[in-house]
Structure formats: C-alpha cells, structure tokens
Amino acid sequence: MGMIFRKQYTMPIPPGAEINERDGQRLARWRLRNGQLRSAEVVDCPDGKLRVRGQSRLYMARYRDGRGAVIEVATGCKDEVAARAVLTQLERRAELVRAGVMTPAESDAADHAAAPLSRHLDRYEQHLRAKGGDPRRISMLRRRIERLARECHFSRLNKMSAGSIELWLVEQADAGMAAATRNSYREAIVCFGNWCRRTHRLTQNPFDGLPRADQTADRRHQRRALTAAELMRLLKVARLRPLAEFGREISSKKLDAHTTPCAVQQADGGENTPTKADPKRPPRSRATWKREPLTIENLDAAVERAREVLKDNPDLIARLERIGHERALTYKTLVLTGLRKGELASLTVGQVEFDGPVAYAILNAADEKNRQGSSIPLRADLVAELSTWLAERLRELRETAGMSGQPIPARLPASTPLFQIASGLARILDRDLAAAGIPKRDERNRVFDVHALRVTFGTHLCAAGVPLRTAQAAMRHSKPELTANIYTDPKLLDVAGAINALPALMIPTEASATGAAAV
C-alpha cells in the first residue's frame, strides 16, 4: 500500500531570526523577502549547531512499482486529495506492469512524459559530455534541438512527432535552407530520439522515418582546389605580404568634374569636415591619395620599399618577416598533411617527431574530428622547413631568456604550440588570394577557403595516381566516397590524358572491309 507525505528537511537558521520557546518547544521566527512571517521548529544537530526543521510544500508519493522496487516520486501537488489521486494512478500503472498488460519500458516512458523537455535536454547534454564529445558540437546540437522544439511547439516528449518536423523541413527548404543544413537538423533530432529510446524515456524513436534531403543535388558551398602554380603564388604572397604592406605605393585620387575637393574631404569623414562645400578651402591630404593594392607583380618592389621605410626599426622588420614565415608555413603544412585548421592549431612541439625513418605528427584523439587519434606522416621538405622554424623559435627564446637573466633553455617546451594560428585566418587568406591574383570563386562559383586547403591535399593525391584506399587513409575518412566525391576536384585531374591512354580502336575503311570479305 502506497502513501503520501511531505518530506522534512533542515536548514541553517536564517539571519535575523528570533528564537522563542513555547510549550517546551523552541521555535524560530523570521520574515521572508516578500514580507511574510515564517516560523519553524529549532533542532540540535550532531555538530552542536542549531538548525530549523521544515516540510516541503509539495507532497511526495511512495509506492512499489511493477518491478517490486520501492519508489519515491514528487506528485507536484500541494493538495492532499490531489496527491492521493496521483498515487492511485501510479499504483494502477504498477499493477498493469505486474499483470503484463503494460511493459516496464512503457511505464518508464509514462514517468518521463510529464517532465519539461529542457530537463531531458540537460541530461542528454551531460550524456554527450560524458562520452567526450566536442563542447562546440554539443552546444550546436542543443541549439538545433531547441530551435526545432520552439518552432514545432514541443514542450514535452509526448508532444513530439515526426509530422511536425517533416513539415518544418519542407518550410525551410521553401525558404532556401540548404539540404546539408536541413540534414544536420534532422540528424540532431534523430540522435536525441535514439537516446530517449535507449534511456526508456520513449518506447520508440518517433523520428526514425524522417527522410534525408539529397545533398548532392543541392550543394551550396562547393570548394575547389588550387593548382601547383597557384599554390606557389599563394605561398610567396603569404611569406612577403606582412612586410610588403608597409611598402605599398601611393597614388592620387582622381576627382570628377562634379566633385569639389571639400566633397572628397566629407566623404573621407575627417574631424574638420565642414558642413557646406567650400571650393576655396584646400582638401585634406588623406582625401587625395590612396595606397595601391598589392599584386604578385609589385610584391617584390613593395618589400624593398618597406625595408627602406623601416630601416630604422629592424625589430619591426624581423617581426613582420616572422609573421610571414609562419603564415606561409601554416599554409604549406595544411596542404601537405590534410590537417584541419583546428587540428593544426592543437599540435604542440612535443607532438612532432622528426627522428626515425618516417617523421610524423601525433594528433590526439580529443583534437581530431572523429575522436580516434592519428599519426600524420610528414614529407621530407616539410620536415626540413619545420626544423628550421623551430630552431628560429628556440634562438628567440634563448635571446629573451638571456636578456632577462633567466636560465637558457636547451630546447623548446613540449607544450609550445607548433603554430600560432590567427583567429582571423579566413580573412587573412582572402587578402592573400587577392594579392596572388587567385579568385575567391571560380567560373563555376566554387569557393576557396581555409578548408579548401584540405581539398587541395586530397585532389593532388588523386592527381598523383595515389590509390583511393591510400588517399582515404591519408584524409582519415570513414568512406572512400567522401574522398572521391567531396575532397577531389575533378577539374585538376588529367581526364584527357586518361582517355588518351585507352587502346587505339581503328574502324576499317569500306575498301579494306570489302577486301577482307572477298578473301
């Protein structure tokens, strides 16, 4: 037989409470923040301190469930009659489970049905974090599920339905959402439904039958690869542009017949911009000149001018050259290893091994997308440049230590990042592409961004005749289709050469065919 009760608790005596004795019982009386008076019994604790004893405002229910275990649950009721009605429902459901009319899973799902969806999402997030998931991906999954719940009006688990999600996906497709984005929302809600089924919050996943959108027919962000010549131009610009920016040529702005010098000054937004045009007032110098953009043709000349301009500041020249060296080496490492930007940013000096027959970088499982961990082989020319780079870093560290009077280090600390990846690397790459004369988008509207360096890695592997299985392993892909279809740019493949390698097929002429028949 079940029972209902109010759970008792103790808490420290509130500040400012008055303790009085009445009928041999000590009572504490204090005023709440809303002005109401509250009183409770004062009890002695084993540690000698005084605490007040109180009762919860809501009733609890204690009963034996269908498995025979004693369960305590909150009824959510302040009224005793309502709490007993809840207890009656719980005991009836336990009887149905014992009789085999209802399964234990269905009973558990009924218990979870009344809880707010946010509570289940909190537990789901804890589950993903316990598995070691990427915090950024976990946050993204929760935002997507919350958006679906908000726009499909899901407040509880028993309100969720596949029909509402499918209608939402159709509306988003009509609004222009890409197929890949719609599939990511579908994946988020399906994974959540699978977890609810495994934890007996739902008897089945209501989203199992949700259709996937065809991403191959609706690819919005197609990447392309760079040719070897374009890569050489990009590396040169990356190496020299930080210094060349200080040597850009200055040219005068041309004024048309309808623009007064003062109008140009107003467009420049200067502090002393007059309210009315004054043709007699000379324009500000800043309004009549601009710096010419850097190109692959004027890059070397700009570097020489920058060295002349900054000849009295050799430290700045050295710092700019170091920035350019690191940037170019970052691009080259991404192209020759296929690492993602975040993966390269996670590498430290202690994770790079140059000794042995094959040099490699150790990518920790926590820093890899598939959370498996890998050993990334390094090519000999890249190893030589990385060794030079780390030697320069060690020399600078020793100079700094010597100037500050600290011990001279024998080697770089193992925790030193291999590269300092700039947070604005995407914008920096766009400027480098413009200076190198490489369009951001090609004639087919395919884009080149930081991740396209990984596409370039996969494409050049295929163009070099590397077997697909080997290229898949180098790209660390789970499926060969991903390597062949997404990370290979067919434009750079020698399709014409492959066709020319086919055997020669000669169609006989009419005379030779007739002669052959006569014979």
Side-chain angles (χ1 to χ4, degrees), residues 243-259:
L243 181 58
E245 288 287 349
F246 286 81
R248 292 164 57 186
E249 287 187 317
I250 298 176
S251 63
S252 299
K253 293 181 180 178
K254 295 182 179 180
L255 305 180
D256 57 32
H258 304 286
T259 304

Side-chain angles (χ1 to χ4, degrees), residues 92-115:
R92 180 177 180 275
R93 198 168 69 211
E95 288 291 338
L96 294 175
V97 173
R98 283 192 288 269
V101 179
M102 178 184 289
T103 64
E106 291 174 338
S107 177
D108 293 339
D111 289 334
H112 290 294

